[in-house]
Amino acid sequence: MLKPYATICGITEEEMLTQMSGHIDQMAQALGCTREETIAKLKQRYDGYHFTWPSPDIYNPFSLLNAFDNEEINDYWFGSGTPTYLIEMMRKFHTLPTEIGRQDCLASEFDAPTERMNSIVPLLYQSGYITIKEGDPLFQTYSLDIPIKRFALD
């Protein structure tokens, strides 16, 4: 949660726009969209990780690189691992999938070693299932939620 390392576990928007510019253009052509529409789609799906607050938005590198490689927006990150451990821990802490995210807590509740956790929050935060959405570093209080944008159902 130290600011100098806030971007170390992902790709910043600046990095994507400069270092991956050609991939964005290629993907836009494959999707039949403009460059701006493609960037908006990438931002909506893969942006939103925060490892401190305030923090620049961080794109999920595994998902972003797979999207460029496949020229397709998809849920790559979730399929990258076996969630067996997560499911076991959700059972242990009596947590339903619908209860993941939308939590307000102290930094000490989620920025803690998983071997000493007394809730599932540290595991969810450290594995990227939830991230910091807002925070008050002075009081060490943070709002955690899933990284992607939530949509209201019509």
Side-chain angles (χ1 to χ4, degrees), residues 11-43 46 59 64-65 67-73:
I11 296 170
T12 65
E13 187 162 71
E14 180 183 348
E15 289 169 332
M16 181 184 75
L17 294 175
T18 58
Q19 304 301 312
M20 302 171 176
S21 181
H23 295 287
I24 295 169
D25 293 337
Q26 189 174 343
M27 184 174 216
Q29 185 176 9
L31 295 176
C33 308
T34 66
R35 176 181 171 85
E36 291 73 26
E37 290 169 333
T38 302
I39 292 168
K41 288 179 183 193
L42 292 168
K43 184 172 187 69
Y46 306 125
Y59 286 73
L64 188 61
L65 295 175
F68 287 144
D69 189 48
N70 296 324
E71 297 179 339
E72 183 178 299
I73 305 288

Side-chain angles (χ1 to χ4, degrees), residues 30 55 60 66 68 74 79 83 98 104:
S55 168
N60 178 303
N66 274 287
F68 287 144
N74 210 330
T98 55
D104 293 323

Side-chain angles (χ1 to χ4, degrees), residues 32-148:
C33 308
T34 66
R35 176 181 171 85
E36 291 73 26
E37 290 169 333
T38 302
I39 292 168
K41 288 179 183 193
L42 292 168
K43 184 172 187 69
Q44 179 182 12
R45 197 57 157 288
Y46 306 125
D47 173 29
Y49 291 90
H50 302 106
F51 300 102
T52 189
W53 194 264
S55 168
D57 290 345
I58 305 297
Y59 286 73
N60 178 303
F62 183 83
S63 295
L64 188 61
L65 295 175
N66 274 287
F68 287 144
D69 189 48
N70 296 324
E71 297 179 339
E72 183 178 299
I73 305 288
N74 210 330
D75 295 325
Y76 299 104
W77 181 79
F78 186 78
S80 69
T82 54
T84 306
Y85 179 68
L86 175 64
I87 292 167
E88 289 172 11
M89 296 307 287
M90 288 176 70
R91 285 186 186 132
K92 176 181 177 181
F93 291 109
H94 309 287
T95 304
L96 298 172
T98 55
E99 298 171 335
I100 295 175
R102 296 183 181 168
Q103 299 183 39
D104 293 323
C105 53
L106 297 170
S108 60
E109 294 176 67
F110 65 91
D111 188 31
T114 55
E115 60 271 4
R116 292 194 319 236
M117 62 187 193
N118 55 12
S119 79
I120 197 166
V121 175
L123 175 64
L124 295 172
Y125 170 72
Q126 293 170 19
S127 59
Y129 284 97
I130 59 175
T131 191
I132 300 170
K133 290 292 188 170
E134 295 180 338
D136 185 338
L138 179 63
F139 292 102
Q140 295 286 296
T141 57
Y142 299 89
S143 294
L144 305 178
D145 204 348
I146 59 173
I148 61 172

